[in-house]
Amino acid sequence: MREDNMLTIIVPCYNEEEVLPETVKELGVVLESMISEEQVSSNSKLLFVDDGSKDKTWELIKKFENQFEYVTGIRFSRNYGHQNALLAGLTTAVDYSDMTITIDADLQDDVNAIPEMVKKYHEGIDVVYGVRNNRDTDTAFKRKTAMAFYSLMSKLGVDMVPNSADYRLLSKRAVEGLLRFDERNLFLRGMVPLVGYPSDKVYYARKERFAGESKYPLKKMIKFAMDGITSFSTVPIKLIMNLGLLVVLIGIGLFIYSIVQKINGNVVSGWTSLITSIWVLGGIQLICLSMIGEYVGKIFTEVKKRPRFTIQEDDYTKEFLK
């Protein structure tokens, strides 16, 4: 039986053996402090989700489970990705938790913002976003591309909180609302605002990664951005359709221009039919492909209904079934 105000802090992990001891230490200090001040229940947990790590991450999680009562974990059968690891943690914790907080293991997000998030929860807020008040630890390139991404997503009609990643608090009903989204193309930063409920922000200073290497190099960041765009907006496909229409208009214009040139006697034999057919047919093909893509793009991944993750070991649930 759980107590009221139970908090589960969900930490996705992929090859985090270098940073994990410090992560457990810092999060443990914060959690123990909130328990002693009765902000959260004594049953509150740190839930580490091992996303198919190839190093000693799972061995360390098992070690800390034996060392600290509040540490527990679940283990994937293979690597499913950061977003699925977050979702697995939320799915596992929702039945036992009044609130959940998701945070990355690299300690770049300030753990000292957690008590402020919990305070806002007690004030009746269901979704509390951790928002960076600066990006000084990022390179100039990353800062500019990040702001360009947020600006683009806003123009595409996607409701996102700028400078907010996956560091957030969700109440039980907010998690239940989020889990009703059955899509496979996960982009939680865009999905959470769609849940609704009262929301607020907690600002913090972003720090350097404590140890190890970033799990989001440029290639993955680009893929992540593309997933966000294609999962939440059909505007790119509509732009292709508009491009197709533009090409058709150019083709018609060239056809008229060719007729005028022919009347004036300034034309190369065969040029008119060749260029006009290329432009007009090319435009028509773009329109047709974009129309097909409009539908195929929406149903391709969803109809397969593949599992979003497979849990190999679940020590978290075992704690509550004892």
Side-chain angles (χ1 to χ4, degrees):
M1 180 70 68
R2 67 170 176 79
E3 302 172 19
D4 289 338
N5 298 325
M6 179 178 165
L7 166 67
T8 298
I9 300 176
I10 299 166
V11 188
C13 303
Y14 180 65
N15 296 339
E16 299 288 3
E17 65 176 351
E18 293 182 59
V19 71
L20 202 58
E22 186 65 22
T23 304
V24 172
K25 176 184 174 182
E26 292 196 18
L27 287 174
V29 169
V30 172
L31 186 61
E32 288 178 335
S33 174
M34 289 191 296
I35 291 173
S36 66
E37 294 174 6
E38 298 184 347
Q39 290 180 283
V40 299
S41 80
S42 58
N43 280 343
S44 296
K45 300 289 184 182
L46 300 180
L47 172 57
F48 293 91
V49 183
D50 181 12
D51 184 20
S53 298
K54 296 179 176 62
D55 62 2
K56 296 181 180 179
T57 295
W58 182 246
E59 287 83 349
L60 285 173
I61 292 172
K62 297 294 287 184
K63 171 187 172 183
F64 291 126
E65 282 183 356
N66 295 327
Q67 190 173 349
F68 302 104
E69 185 178 349
Y70 52 77
V71 173
T72 186
I74 60 177
R75 184 187 188 189
F76 281 176
S77 59
R78 63 173 177 83
N79 177 247
Y80 281 91
H82 180 264
Q83 297 291 282
N84 283 308
L86 289 174
L87 193 71
L90 293 170
T91 302
T92 304
V94 65
D95 290 336
Y96 307 98
S97 306
D98 296 288
M99 53 187 139
T100 57
I101 290 177
T102 55
I103 184 173
D104 289 341
D106 57 18
L107 296 177
Q108 287 189 279
D109 298 321
D110 187 4
V111 300
N112 295 308
I114 291 176
E116 183 64 23
M117 289 182 173
V118 173
K119 180 181 177 182
K120 289 186 178 295
Y121 165 80
H122 288 306
E123 293 172 356
I125 305 300
D126 288 275
V127 182
V128 185
Y129 299 99
V131 181
R132 309 174 197 178
N133 56 18
N134 65 71
R135 303 187 72 102
D136 294 342
T137 58
D138 292 341
T139 63
F141 173 77
K142 190 172 182 178
R143 283 197 299 271
K144 291 179 180 178
T145 53
M147 296 313 297
F149 172 68
Y150 286 119
S151 176
L152 175 62
M153 293 296 281
S154 177
K155 291 177 181 178
L156 294 178
V158 183
D159 183 19
M160 289 178 58
V161 179
N163 293 319
S164 173
D166 290 304
Y167 185 23
R168 66 177 74 86
L169 177 146
L170 296 173
S171 69
K172 182 181 182 69
R173 68 173 181 172
V175 176
E176 289 173 340
L178 179 63
L179 295 180
R180 283 196 286 270
F181 289 75
D182 196 34
E183 56 208 70
R184 267 59 183 168
N185 294 308
L186 294 177
F187 186 68
L188 295 177
R189 299 181 197 185
M191 292 168 64
V192 171
L194 296 177
V195 174
Y197 298 125
S199 64
D200 204 344
K201 304 172 185 175
V202 168
Y203 293 90
Y204 67 95
R206 179 83 162 174
K207 299 184 292 185
E208 295 282 356
R209 183 180 175 88
F210 179 80
E213 298 179 354
S214 172
K215 304 304 183 294
Y216 269 92
L218 180 61
K219 182 179 179 181
K220 280 193 174 182
M221 287 176 61
I222 293 174
K223 182 181 181 301
F224 185 66
M226 289 303 298
D227 285 343
I229 293 171
T230 55
S231 295
F232 280 83
S233 178
T234 58
V235 171
I237 296 177
K238 289 181 172 63
L239 289 175
I240 295 173
M241 182 185 293
N242 292 333
L243 176 62
L245 292 172
L246 176 62
V247 171
V248 170
L249 291 175
I250 292 174
I252 294 172
L254 284 172
F255 179 71
I256 295 171
Y257 171 77
S258 300
I259 293 175
V260 173
Q261 290 296 94
K262 185 174 183 179
I263 292 173
N264 294 331
N266 301 321
V267 67
V268 177
S269 179
W271 183 87
T272 302
S273 59
L274 178 63
I275 295 300
T276 301
S277 62
I278 288 175
W279 280 83
V280 173
L281 289 175
I284 293 172
Q285 287 173 345
L286 282 173
I287 294 172
C288 294
L289 285 174
S290 65
M291 286 296 293
I292 295 170
E294 180 101 37
Y295 295 95
V296 174
K298 291 179 180 178
I299 64 175
F300 173 67
T301 303
E302 302 301 330
V303 297
K304 290 186 287 188
K305 294 293 182 183
R306 291 176 179 172
R308 291 182 287 198
F309 51 83
T310 301
I311 296 175
Q312 181 172 323
E313 296 184 51
D314 181 1
D315 293 341
Y316 180 90
T317 305
K318 290 177 184 176
E319 290 287 325
F320 297 96
L321 296 179
K322 288 179 180 179

